[in-house]
């Protein structure tokens, strides 16, 4: 069941998602060669606690960290460690908080120092695919209009969209209905209505879309070893179109 949010609830989601956006921005500023991902995790956790927010992922289905740090061929759910980032890596940072009963959730992929043209293009196309999806989140549209917009943009760039992980509704739970796939035919699924709050999160692979889960039970890697990128925003459908909630003050 898809729960429509009241203006008061949307205000709360805006606060939680601004916290996430601000923290992701701070983390982005720390990404450079020689930094380890556990440092980024601990910083994310500290910044959240300072703002009175609870890191949302820690303990979620047993996930042991606050941040997901997915480097290069890691698609999502990469676990922070003492391993240092190296010039040329790309890293996706996925973070969520719970504040005043409502969740924030967003992800960005950032370069470590100077990166290849190929890595830059994959990152750019993935970010743009997210915005193509968000554009379709309008009243009277259908859920899979979002999915189709993401997939067609990604495939036109000759990349592939991951199938086994999807976006989701978000509110007083981290994951609510509906699921938001990044692939599929348009014109299907829920009819979009003002007050629907969605976390749209394309995961885009350089080569094939297949993923494997490592023995730790979390780390999802590309089966063919190609690079992968991930961007996520939490947004709300309004009468006036889509509004992104996980954006910093002033964009
Ligand atoms: N943004 C991801 C999601 O919505 C992050 C979840 S990580 C987990 O599924 F550890 F919390 F599962
Ligand atoms: Co999410």
């Amino acid at each position: 069941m898809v729960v429509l949010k009241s203006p008061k609830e949307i205000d709360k989601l805006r606060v939680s998602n601004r916290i996430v956006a601000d923290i992701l921005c701070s983390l982005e500023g720390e990404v450079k060669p020689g930094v380890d991902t556990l440092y980024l995790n601990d910083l994310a956790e500290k910044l959240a606690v300072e703002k009175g927010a609870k890191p949302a992922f820690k303990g979620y289905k047993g996930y042991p960290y606050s941040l997901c740090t997915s480097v290069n061929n890691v698609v999502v759910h990469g676990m922070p460690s003492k391993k240092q980032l190296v010039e040329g890596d790309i890293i996706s940072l996925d973070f969520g908080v719970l504040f005043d009963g409502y969740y924030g959730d967003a992800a960005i992929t950032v370069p470590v120092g100077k990166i290849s043209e190929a890595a830059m293009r994959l990152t750019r196309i993935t970010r743009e695919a997210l915005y193509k999806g968000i554009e379709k989140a309008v009243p009277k549209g259908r859920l899979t209009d979002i999915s189709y917009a993401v997939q067609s943009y990604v495939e036109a760039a000759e990349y592939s969209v991951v199938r086994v992980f999807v976006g989701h509704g978000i509110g007083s739970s981290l994951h609510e209905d509906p699921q938001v796939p990044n692939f599929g035919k348009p014109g299907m699924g829920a009819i979009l209505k003002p007050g629907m709050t969605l976390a749209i999160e394309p995961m885009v692979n350089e080569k094939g879309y297949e993923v494997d889960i490592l023995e730790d039970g979390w780390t999802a890697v590309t089966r063919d070893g190609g690079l992968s990128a991930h961007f996520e925003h939490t947004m709300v459908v309004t009468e006036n179109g889509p509004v992104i909630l996980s954006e910093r003050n002033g964009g």
Side-chain angles (χ1 to χ4, degrees), residues 16-178:
S16 306
N17 279 285
R18 282 259 167 92
I19 292 172
V20 171
D22 286 342
I23 292 175
L24 283 176
C25 186
S26 300
L27 297 178
E28 182 175 6
E30 295 293 316
V31 169
K32 47 185 162 291
V35 163
D36 68 66
T37 51
L38 198 56
Y39 166 78
L40 297 173
N41 175 79
D42 295 352
L43 179 59
E45 201 167 304
K46 178 180 139 243
L47 292 172
V49 170
E50 271 173 19
K51 293 170 198 280
K54 183 174 170 295
F57 300 166
K58 197 173 187 171
Y60 183 84
K61 295 189 177 164
Y63 185 72
Y65 298 96
S66 295
L67 183 69
C68 298
T69 53
S70 304
V71 178
N72 296 336
N73 64 316
V74 180
V75 178
V76 283
H77 304 161
M79 296 214 258
S81 76
K82 292 299 277 180
K83 189 165 182 266
Q84 292 179 359
L85 296 172
V86 174
E87 176 110 25
D89 285 345
I90 55 172
I91 178 172
S92 93
L93 303 169
D94 190 349
F95 190 57
V97 300
L98 175 63
F99 183 83
D100 195 16
Y102 286 81
Y103 282 90
D105 186 10
I108 55 174
T109 298
V110 298
V112 181
K114 192 172 157 44
I115 62 171
S116 67
E117 285 291 331
M120 233 183 295
R121 180 172 180 272
L122 176 69
T123 303
R124 174 176 61 80
I125 295 290
T126 308
R127 185 192 310 105
E128 289 170 356
L130 168 59
Y131 284 89
K132 294 287 173 189
I134 291 171
E135 270 175 30
K136 296 290 175 190
V138 295
K140 300 191 176 67
R142 300 288 290 260
L143 185 76
T144 67
D145 296 350
I146 300 170
S147 315
Y148 178 77
V150 171
Q151 181 180 21
S152 48
Y153 188 75
V154 166
E155 291 182 353
E158 298 190 320
Y159 296 136
S160 62
V161 287
V162 170
R163 311 298 204 254
V164 292
F165 300 106
V166 296
H168 48 94
I170 180 167
S172 55
S173 302
L174 177 60
H175 294 143
E176 298 185 351
D177 286 341

